């Protein structure tokens, strides 16, 4: 996993350009370890890592927007 280098304000909603640090899919979860250390996850990878993150890193701040998955189909989903 890679910690993102750009500074992201923790209160900002995730954008379509935000990508999972593991696979590059659209990120729906931000796990902030501090003001300048974040990990971005797609829904699948956050589900996989959530138990470890929550037990070993209880001080993290999680922005969970998984409720937005499939809320609005992407343009590529409608391509012929």
């Amino acid at each position: 996993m890679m910690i993102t280098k750009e500074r992201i304000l923790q209160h900002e909603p995730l954008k379509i350009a935000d990508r999972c640090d593991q696979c590059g899919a659209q990120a729906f979860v931000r796990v902030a370890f501090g003001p300048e250390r974040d990990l971005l996850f797609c829904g699948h990878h956050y589900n996989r890592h959530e138990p470890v993150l929550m037990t070993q890193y209880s001080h993290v701040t999680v922005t969970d927007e998984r409720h937005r998955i499939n809320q609005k189909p992407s343009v590529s989903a409608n391509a012929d």
Side-chain angles (χ1 to χ4, degrees):
M1 267 185 268
M2 200 171 103
I3 295 177
T4 57
K5 294 189 181 195
E6 68 266 3
R7 184 153 187 198
I8 302 169
L9 295 176
Q10 292 176 11
H11 64 276
E12 285 186 14
L14 291 164
K15 298 178 178 84
I16 198 165
D18 292 324
R19 296 290 165 195
C20 175
D21 289 322
Q22 276 204 308
C23 69
Q26 184 176 352
F28 287 96
V29 180
R30 175 184 297 125
V31 179
F33 293 88
E36 296 185 28
R37 294 183 352 159
D38 295 356
L39 287 174
L40 299 177
F41 291 100
C42 63
H44 165 79
H45 282 113
Y46 184 70
N47 287 339
R48 181 185 291 175
H49 297 293
E50 181 180 19
V52 173
L53 288 167
M54 294 302 106
T55 56
Q56 292 186 8
Y57 302 97
S58 59
H59 62 282
V60 298
T61 302
V62 177
T63 302
D64 187 348
E65 297 182 9
R66 288 179 289 175
H67 64 278
R68 292 183 28 228
I69 294 175
N70 295 327
Q71 192 173 47
K72 180 180 176 187
S74 68
V75 173
S76 63
N78 297 324
D80 291 318

